[in-house]
Amino acid sequence: MTMRAPACDLPIVFEQASCRVRDATILDRVSLALAAGAPTVLIGPNGAGKTTFIRLAMGLTAPTAGRVTWGGREQAAAVHRAIVFQRPAMLRRSAAANIRYALAAAGVPRAQRRPRASELIALVGLAGLEERPARKLSGGEQQRLALARALAKDPQVLFLDEPTASLDPAATKAIEDVIRAVAARGIKVVMSTHDLGEARRLAGEIVLLHRGRVIESGASEAFFSAPRTEEGRRFIGGELLI
Ligand SMILES: Nc1ncnc2c1ncn2[C@@H]1O[C@H](COP(=O)(O)OP(=O)(O)O)[C@@H](O)[C@H]1O
Ligand SMILES: [Mg+2]
């Protein structure tokens, strides 16, 4: 039997990828590579195209022009990728059962589901809340449960769309801690936020989107200390980009 290395979804490469809906251009000829390493954080004002970018990178939406490839492949089922949507929906079951359900869906054998679920619960800091109905958890706890559920797939890449939107500072910090723990495990995190402080705290790489275009991308430190574009300077300065 020949052993083949498991296919890797990285890098995820956008080549002149556009997304048009009727006469609106939502993403405009985006060329960019998402490579292994520290988190890539997408920033930009509302409507900039962050969610659409994430949907293309996940493979949920196809570009209307250009292409997106995963590890050089144009067709790559999302087995190695997971996504947490902005408002995750929980099953009407306990927190642990929500995770076991995701583990079953990911093909994890029954005997391994309980120990794996406990591990994931601990990773996201929900130990003690295993038997709580998922829908009775606070917003921040539900967001962490959604993270654990996404991790049940054992993904190479984890997409998070504004994971801390509408959370208070303590809940935000808890989520950011989980994101750091996930990244430390070697999982590539690609996330959006409209919180500049969060981008600064988490990003290895920044992608600034505005009106469907990549205005600037590169190392986070360089971006925050010396943005190369006028839009970048204004965005960091707290000005509204319209
Ligand atoms: N399916 C769609 N049909 C029409 N317009 C859309 C669709 N999806 C997104 N848009 C529009 O595209 C723009 C970018 O959306 P989005 O990717 O959600 O941006 P962001 O996440 O940065 O706020 C917004 O103006 C939005 O209204
Ligand atoms: Mg969005």
Side-chain angles (χ1 to χ4, degrees), residues 21-22 26 44-53 161-162:
V21 177
R22 286 175 295 277
I26 299 169
N46 272 333
K50 301 182 295 296
T51 296
T52 305
F53 179 100
D161 193 8
E162 303 213 22

Side-chain angles (χ1 to χ4, degrees), residues 210 227 229-242:
H210 186 215
T229 61
E230 181 58 28
E231 286 96 335
R233 276 188 288 279
R234 285 168 47 209
F235 196 71
I236 291 173
E239 272 182 61
L240 284 176
L241 294 182
I242 295 168

Side-chain angles (χ1 to χ4, degrees), residues 153-169:
K153 278 177 96 175
D154 198 14
Q156 295 169 351
V157 191
L158 179 64
F159 295 100
L160 307 169
D161 193 8
E162 303 213 22
T164 63
S166 76
L167 297 183
D168 65 32

Side-chain angles (χ1 to χ4, degrees), residues 10 74 97 116:
L10 293 170
E74 216 161 332
R116 278 283 287 144

Side-chain angles (χ1 to χ4, degrees), residues 32-33 39-41 203-208 214-224 228:
L32 188 79
T40 295
V41 179
E205 179 189 45
I206 290 284
V207 176
L208 172 62
V214 174
I215 301 296
E216 210 170 317
S217 70
S220 174
E221 279 174 28
F223 173 76
F224 284 108
R228 295 190 303 269

Side-chain angles (χ1 to χ4, degrees), residues 84-133:
V84 177
F85 295 105
Q86 224 169 328
R87 282 172 215 80
M90 294 298 150
L91 296 176
R92 205 180 292 279
R93 301 181 188 181
S94 71
N98 266 269
I99 297 180
R100 287 197 300 271
Y101 182 87
L103 289 165
V108 174
R110 180 176 290 274
Q112 290 171 26
R113 287 178 211 156
R114 275 179 193 275
R116 278 283 287 144
S118 303
E119 227 177 274
L120 289 167
I121 289 261
L123 176 68
V124 301
L126 292 178
L129 297 178
E130 289 84 349
E131 298 314 317
R132 184 81 61 86

